[in-house]
Amino acid sequence: MRNILTALLCGAMILSSAVCFAVINDNKMAIGGMMPGISAEDLVSTFGQPTIKDGDEWTYKNFKVEVERGVVTEVSTCSVTITTYDGVRVGLAAEELNSTFGKADKVDKERDRVEYEYYSTDRTKKIKFKVVNGFISKITCKLVN
């Protein structure tokens, strides 16, 4: 009887872990130190003026940001030199995502492209990884409306 109870308890734990999603702390929702929600003023004081300003879209050498009402709402990069807080960068194999962040909150597959989305613990930010042919090709971190 004791073995059956132990087996049932182990099975329940395995089943519950299979439905868990990644949990990323709010302060880790950043690319290259840039976090959605910072002021445009802080962005400029840290990284300087953008090379191109096209309305709300500001382009820097290795990343782009979207700014609305003086607040950075989105940061994205296709550069291999910019990393997430946990060291994930463009060019790494997609398997790195599961080992670093766990199971994605949302996966969108389309032909040779897959997008993995992870939400912050308070669900106010998300980080998205575009994967093409098994390798990360773009990282985007943004505020969730």
Side-chain angles (χ1 to χ4, degrees):
M1 183 69 166
R2 185 175 178 186
N3 289 340
I4 292 173
L5 190 55
T6 302
L8 286 173
L9 182 59
C10 288
M13 289 173 60
I14 291 170
L15 182 61
S16 67
S17 69
V19 296
C20 292
F21 292 103
V23 177
I24 302 174
N25 291 331
D26 236 19
N27 60 352
K28 290 186 174 184
M29 287 296 224
I31 303 172
M34 292 161 290
M35 182 181 299
I38 65 170
S39 71
E41 186 177 282
D42 287 343
L43 175 72
V44 171
S45 71
T46 304
F47 297 97
Q49 289 292 329
T51 54
I52 300 170
K53 263 189 185 180
D54 185 14
D56 293 342
E57 189 173 287
W58 297 7
T59 303
Y60 286 82
K61 181 179 178 184
N62 294 315
F63 62 93
K64 288 184 179 183
V65 296
E66 288 199 23
V67 178
E68 293 179 19
R69 294 184 207 100
V71 175
V72 174
T73 58
E74 181 175 314
V75 180
S76 63
T77 187
C78 295
S79 172
V80 298
T81 62
I82 307 278
T83 66
T84 66
Y85 182 86
D86 295 304
V88 175
R89 64 173 176 77
V90 168
L92 293 179
E95 289 81 23
E96 189 69 31
L97 297 174
N98 280 335
S99 63
T100 302
F101 301 113
K103 184 178 178 182
D105 293 304
K106 182 178 176 187
V107 178
D108 183 23
K109 297 179 184 181
E110 190 176 301
R111 292 192 213 167
D112 64 342
R113 167 191 78 71
V114 183
E115 288 185 348
Y116 297 89
E117 288 185 13
Y118 299 87
Y119 290 88
S120 62
T121 52
D122 65 0
R123 308 223 20 116
T124 60
K125 298 179 185 102
K126 69 178 175 180
I127 191 164
K128 181 168 47 172
F129 298 88
K130 182 178 177 183
V131 174
V132 178
N133 296 322
F135 293 92
I136 300 168
S137 64
K138 184 177 183 180
I139 305 171
T140 304
C141 192
K142 63 189 283 183
L143 295 176
V144 176
N145 298 337

